[in-house]
Amino acid sequence: MNTGHYEISTEHAATGIVRRIRDIPPLHYTFEIESFSFLLDSKVDAIDSEKFEVGDYKWKLSLYPSGNRKGNGNGYVSLDLAMVETNDLPLNWELNVEFRFFVFDQIRDKFLTIQFGDNEKVKRFHRMKTKWGIDQVISLDIFNDSGYGYLVDDHCIFGVEILIIKGTGKGEIHSMQKLTPGSTSYKFRIENYSTRGQSPLESKIFTIGDQKWYIPYPKLMLYPIGDSRAKEALSLYLYSKNDSTAETLSKSKVVAKYKLRLLDQRNGNHLEKTTDLNRFESDSSGWGYINFCALNDVKDQSKGYLVDNTLLIEIDFIFISVVKLI
């Protein structure tokens, strides 16, 4: 009598079958057999489980106590998983499924799991192929040795877990936009800066490249003394302005990367910050910097940012992609 585990935790090269030991029982269905020897004595080829439901589909297990003789089950216990009641499904139905079988070790309270290896893990069920199985679930020599715990007092328990891989059909297409050198930037001139107060300033609507594909009407927004979150700093953002319908907006987004600059009008030492790739989801999407430049630096004449009470802001696009949701 053997008192050890039947532990195979790597893929068997010849069969492509992976066996592992785990504590958790099968999530979906167990198939318990009492008086297993009667099946052998009766020379029953296979015994089927009742129908059970997983993922809105009906299934059944088939157990071959002496192995599936039509396959490579000689000397093994074999198991099949079949879809049933498929007549009501659409004519060209198909289902991608990952499943694993279980054999319960009654001595150690563990489960031997058996499934196809990584290269064959997912099986396609369809009208012409409603059944998949594993011929060599467990060797009969090991299964019949009570020391392994799989057959104890002529009693054994099998099981199955079924993962249905359903495609949502959803995705997105990125159309990278070619930016023409010399036409990627826009300047925003703010005069009478010291009298502007707290209200945000918006640039004129401007376009970069093809309006049909780029952010249709981007605009710059400047908070002269910072927005409500700023810490004594000038805030600067790029907003998108889109006149499309809500339905069109829900199916089309824009991703952009760009540089925001506060221009040094005296020395050319501009303050420049480069954004990450930002996704403009709606008409009110805005991306930029809460604390773009300290107000003390803005007013510092040696910095050259404020000349004749005028600021110059520039945006320079690096990357634009139109994202179509499908």
Side-chain angles (χ1 to χ4, degrees), residues 65-79:
S66 297
N68 184 355
R69 295 185 178 89
K70 295 179 181 179
N72 296 315
N74 189 38
Y76 288 83
V77 175
S78 304
L79 282 168

Side-chain angles (χ1 to χ4, degrees), residues 33-317:
I33 306 292
E34 295 179 345
S35 302
F36 181 80
S37 61
F38 286 8
L39 290 177
L40 299 176
D41 294 341
S42 303
K43 301 188 183 304
V44 172
D45 287 338
I47 182 171
D48 294 339
S49 72
E50 290 292 323
K51 293 177 291 187
F52 59 95
E53 185 172 325
V54 177
D56 298 325
Y57 299 96
K58 298 292 195 308
W59 309 85
K60 73 173 182 180
L61 279 174
S62 295
L63 169 69
Y64 299 80
S66 297
N68 184 355
R69 295 185 178 89
K70 295 179 181 179
N72 296 315
N74 189 38
Y76 288 83
V77 175
S78 304
L79 282 168
D80 281 349
L81 174 68
M83 286 188 69
V84 295
E85 298 185 7
T86 59
N87 290 338
D88 293 335
L89 297 176
L91 181 62
N92 295 320
W93 69 270
E94 65 175 53
L95 208 61
N96 293 314
V97 176
E98 179 183 329
F99 62 90
R100 61 172 59 94
F101 295 130
F102 291 73
V103 189
F104 182 46
D105 178 349
Q106 303 169 61
I107 295 174
R108 299 164 190 85
D109 193 24
K110 303 283 185 181
F111 291 86
L112 171 67
T113 70
I114 309 97
Q115 67 183 118
F116 289 100
D118 289 341
N119 294 334
E120 299 181 358
K121 187 177 292 185
V122 178
K123 297 301 182 183
R124 187 168 67 96
F125 289 75
H126 53 89
R127 186 168 62 91
M128 303 299 292
K129 178 69 173 176
T130 59
K131 180 189 291 186
W132 285 94
I134 296 178
D135 291 337
Q136 299 181 6
V137 169
I138 185 170
S139 162
L140 281 170
D141 289 338
I142 291 173
F143 181 76
N144 290 324
D145 186 336
S146 61
Y148 285 100
Y150 301 118
L151 183 64
V152 176
D153 296 331
D154 214 16
H155 173 249
C156 54
I157 301 173
F158 300 90
V160 67
E161 276 182 1
I162 302 169
L163 172 63
I164 298 170
I165 303 171
K166 274 189 176 181
T168 63
K170 295 180 180 180
E172 59 184 60
I173 300 172
H174 281 251
S175 298
M176 312 305 172
Q177 304 300 299
K178 184 177 180 180
L179 298 177
T180 305
S183 62
T184 61
S185 62
Y186 174 80
K187 287 183 180 177
F188 181 21
R189 183 182 181 89
I190 300 101
E191 298 178 343
N192 302 315
Y193 168 78
S194 62
T195 64
R196 292 296 186 172
Q198 229 174 355
S199 300
L201 306 175
E202 294 184 8
S203 71
K204 292 180 179 180
I205 292 172
F206 63 94
T207 60
I208 300 293
D210 186 349
Q211 292 185 15
K212 294 179 181 178
W213 298 107
Y214 290 13
I215 306 173
Y217 300 107
K219 63 184 178 182
L220 285 169
M221 184 173 288
L222 173 75
Y223 290 78
I225 59 172
D227 68 14
S228 59
R229 299 166 295 172
K231 298 179 180 179
E232 297 294 318
L234 176 150
S235 303
L236 183 60
Y237 306 95
L238 173 69
Y239 276 75
S240 66
K241 174 63 178 173
N242 197 316
D243 292 336
S244 301
T245 64
E247 182 179 359
T248 302
L249 277 171
S250 68
K251 294 181 179 179
S252 182
K253 318 289 182 183
V254 178
V255 174
K257 183 175 183 177
Y258 45 88
K259 296 178 181 180
L260 290 170
R261 299 188 186 102
L262 177 57
L263 299 185
D264 176 353
Q265 303 174 62
R266 288 198 171 95
N267 310 306
N269 296 322
H270 311 313
L271 174 61
E272 177 181 286
K273 294 186 179 183
T274 302
T275 68
D276 296 325
L277 279 175
N278 294 318
R279 182 179 289 238
F280 293 83
E281 299 280 355
S282 66
D283 186 43
S284 60
S285 293
W287 293 96
Y289 297 92
I290 298 172
N291 300 298
F292 185 78
C293 182
L295 293 179
N296 287 338
D297 288 342
V298 172
K299 298 171 185 177
D300 186 341
Q301 291 298 305
S302 68
K303 301 285 187 182
Y305 302 139
L306 187 62
V307 176
D308 296 331
N309 209 20
T310 298
L311 292 178
L312 285 178
I313 304 292
E314 184 177 45
I315 183 171
D316 192 3
F317 284 87

